[in-house]
Amino acid sequence: MTLLDSVSVDPRAGRPIPDAATRETIGYAPVHSSAYLDEAIAAARRAQPTWDAIGHVERSRILNDIADDIRANADELAVILSREQGKPLDGPNARFEVAAAELWTRNAADTRLEPEIVFESEDGRAEVHYGALGVVAAIGPWNWPMMITVWQIAPSLRMGNTVIVKPSEYTPLSVLALLAIYNRHLPSGVLTSVVGDREIGAALAAHSGLDKIMFTGSTDTGRRIIEGSAHNLARLTLELGGNDAGIVLPGADLSQLIEGIFWGSFLNSGQTCANLKRLYVHESLYDEAVAELATLATEVAMGNGLQPGNLLGPLQNQRQFDTVSALVEDARARGARVVAGGTPAPELGPLFYRATIVADVDDDARLVTEEQFGPVLPVLRYSNIDDAIIRANNTEQGLGASVWGPDIDEAKTVAQRLDAGTVWINQHGTLNPLVPFGGLKASGYGQEFGVQGLKAVGAPKVISH
């Protein structure tokens, strides 16, 4: 039996899940009730003390075994992911995401978290130790469903917590396939999935049996989770939307940087929270940058993810396709210049939208003020760096940003003035499992990855003597 067959339920008891590219049904996801949710959390609560008691060494061994198992099943996982989410197998897409799921699982296993000595004198000493919180809810998105689920569950498990996973209703099968591999190695009750629509997600966030909620998704949904968690006082880690700005400084060598700028924006067909969403280019380089980006957008291979060579896939769902289309049309109606793309690609499939570069767009266009989450990049002109920084910071969100230029010290000076949790120089969106990641403003709070990520799912305890 394949992994997909093992997680797909009887059609009479489930909800059809379409192939993102063709819209043909690829399987059926379970639809769980609030009673099922109650039972899952109760089972997680019962399993947690024993899981915590086995200790870090044994939990790390198990997580490394899981990472090995993910690698052994990487091809099958990548095909499920490509079909359900839409991202191609090739390039920084489905195979890349499965490899990242393995890497972050292994990193959670191997990262050391030592007690911290925060005070020491002849009269005494104070140490901070980190233990398990209890039961963690992991509520994931549809854009990077496997990778981001691992960001949530692997450190939680390592710290001795049990976990309830609620995958996006758009991409449940890929997550269930990943969890099936995890659960080959875990005791019953330690890692459980609850599948359904937003109602079951809301019920999970407000459940009294939780100690921690980790959520990646939109800012609006994050606000509702905050409201729901007021009833259980669960700790929160929220990675919410982003409207990341990039600034290209005078003197930048576009021949060396333009591909990095392009993929910083168009990775996963633009469907990434920390993608570059707005590009501010100095007037001396503006026309060159627009022309080179348009060339890349026109030439990039787009199509069904299972076909070799394709690097961009469809929008994952109709709602996102409609959003992207509306934002481009609004910019066009305001007089913006669409220099590449700007239209759907129905010959490829129902939800394909051509890679699009928009120039001469107003700062108050919806394409600039809202997160497009699709294969569209607005390019804006500036003449004064102070003005560019003000415009880049003029958003309620603050997930990431980037600065592109030849002088690293100058770029660092600009980076210090940008309101973002991460600022990259001559790159955008690159992540490292050892480097903390999180947002500012309405992009959420809390950090993931490395030591900081383990602390985020741990309970600090001060021991003084």
Side-chain angles (χ1 to χ4, degrees):
M1 178 181 290
T2 66
L3 271 173
L4 181 58
D5 289 337
S6 72
V7 299
S8 181
V9 301
D10 189 294
R12 294 167 295 183
R15 181 173 58 86
I17 301 299
D19 182 300
T22 67
R23 310 314 289 171
E24 298 172 352
T25 297
I26 61 174
Y28 293 83
V31 180
H32 291 141
S33 65
S34 58
Y36 181 94
L37 172 62
D38 291 339
E39 292 171 3
I41 292 179
R45 183 65 65 187
R46 291 192 298 271
Q48 194 275 323
T50 302
W51 175 244
D52 186 22
I54 69 173
H56 283 296
V57 172
E58 179 63 8
R59 288 194 298 270
S60 294
R61 183 195 65 78
I62 291 171
L63 285 170
N64 272 309
D65 287 347
I66 292 170
D68 292 341
D69 209 351
I70 292 172
R71 176 179 290 185
N73 290 273
D75 288 342
E76 190 174 0
L77 288 170
V79 170
I80 297 170
L81 176 63
S82 180
R83 296 189 67 191
E84 184 179 51
Q85 200 283 329
K87 63 186 64 179
L89 291 172
D90 293 342
N93 290 300
R95 292 191 179 100
F96 170 86
E97 180 169 351
V98 173
E102 177 202 341
L103 174 63
W104 260 267
T105 299
R106 208 176 296 283
N107 179 261
D110 295 341
T111 298
R112 297 175 62 87
L113 179 57
E114 303 290 351
E116 300 172 12
I117 301 171
V118 293
F119 173 79
E120 189 169 25
S121 73
E122 294 180 356
D123 300 324
R125 173 172 166 154
E127 302 170 346
V128 181
H129 296 250
Y130 288 86
L133 283 168
V135 179
V136 176
I139 305 175
W142 51 259
N143 59 333
W144 294 89
M146 288 185 180
M147 182 177 72
I148 291 178
T149 294
V150 168
W151 293 355
Q152 297 170 335
I153 66 176
S156 297
L157 293 172
R158 159 64 196 285
M159 291 302 294
N161 303 295
T162 52
V163 184
I164 307 294
V165 176
K166 196 284 180 184
S168 166
E169 60 266 37
Y170 291 116
T171 53
L173 298 179
S174 54
V175 174
L176 293 176
L178 176 70
L179 299 188
I181 290 177
Y182 261 76
N183 275 320
R184 292 172 181 174
H185 305 267
L186 296 171
S188 176
V190 169
L191 178 64
T192 308
S193 60
V194 177
V195 184
D197 57 16
R198 294 183 179 184
E199 289 188 8
I200 200 72
L204 173 60
H207 203 285
S208 61
L210 298 180
D211 300 287
K212 170 85 181 187
I213 301 169
M214 302 189 75
F215 170 73
T216 297
S218 72
T219 298
D220 288 343
T221 302
R223 289 190 172 104
R224 291 195 292 272
I225 286 175
I226 293 170
E227 293 171 358
S229 69
H231 301 287
N232 56 25
L233 295 179
R235 294 162 174 81
L236 300 176
T237 294
L238 303 175
E239 196 264 270
L240 308 179
N243 194 7
D244 291 15
I247 297 178
V248 179
L249 300 175
D253 184 351
L254 291 179
S255 67
Q256 299 296 315
L257 300 177
I258 202 69
E259 285 200 12
I261 292 171
F262 181 84
W263 285 111
S265 177
F266 287 87
L267 178 70
N268 194 26
S269 293
Q271 300 168 112
T272 301
C273 294
N275 269 10
L276 199 167
K277 308 286 173 48
R278 302 169 288 142
L279 183 66
Y280 297 86
V281 182
H282 189 263
E283 57 188 3
S284 62
L285 296 170
Y286 186 81
D287 291 338
E288 180 186 356
V290 168
E292 293 195 20
L293 287 168
T295 297
L296 290 172
T298 302
E299 295 177 348
V300 67
M302 173 181 283
N304 189 303
L306 299 183
Q307 296 172 354
N310 287 328
L311 297 178
L312 296 182
L315 277 303
Q316 200 283 326
N317 57 77
Q318 185 69 51
R319 181 178 179 181
Q320 200 56 42
F321 179 88
D322 293 343
T323 295
V324 170
S325 299
L327 294 179
V328 173
E329 290 310 308
D330 176 75
R332 199 192 312 266
R334 292 169 177 268
R337 183 163 51 99
V338 178
V339 295
T343 60
E347 71 278 9
L348 299 177
L351 299 184
F352 283 86
Y353 198 94
R354 302 182 203 283
T356 300
I357 302 296
V358 179
D360 302 331
V361 59
D362 294 336
D363 278 48
D364 58 356
R366 291 177 58 204
L367 182 59
V368 177
T369 62
E370 300 178 24
E371 181 182 24
Q372 67 271 44
F373 221 65
V376 182
L377 177 62
V379 187
L380 301 99
R381 189 192 311 263
Y382 79 90
S383 58
N384 178 278
I385 189 60
D386 293 329
D387 173 63
I389 292 169
I390 291 170
R391 293 160 68 191
N393 287 337
N394 186 26
T395 175
E396 71 166 0
Q397 295 164 322
L399 188 56
S402 55
V403 184
W404 306 78
D407 186 327
I408 299 300
D409 290 335
E410 179 187 14
K412 286 181 179 179
T413 298
V414 174
Q416 291 285 358
R417 299 174 61 190
L418 292 173
D419 299 335
T422 298
V423 182
W424 294 276
I425 295 176
N426 293 334
Q427 56 185 310
H428 195 108
T430 54
L431 299 177
N432 182 320
L434 296 174
V435 178
F437 177 70
L440 304 178
K441 302 196 291 189
S443 288
Y445 44 75
Q447 289 186 315
E448 299 175 270
F449 308 167
V451 172
Q452 291 300 111
L454 294 180
K455 290 179 179 180
V457 288
K461 178 181 292 185
V462 177
I463 298 177
S464 296
H465 60 86

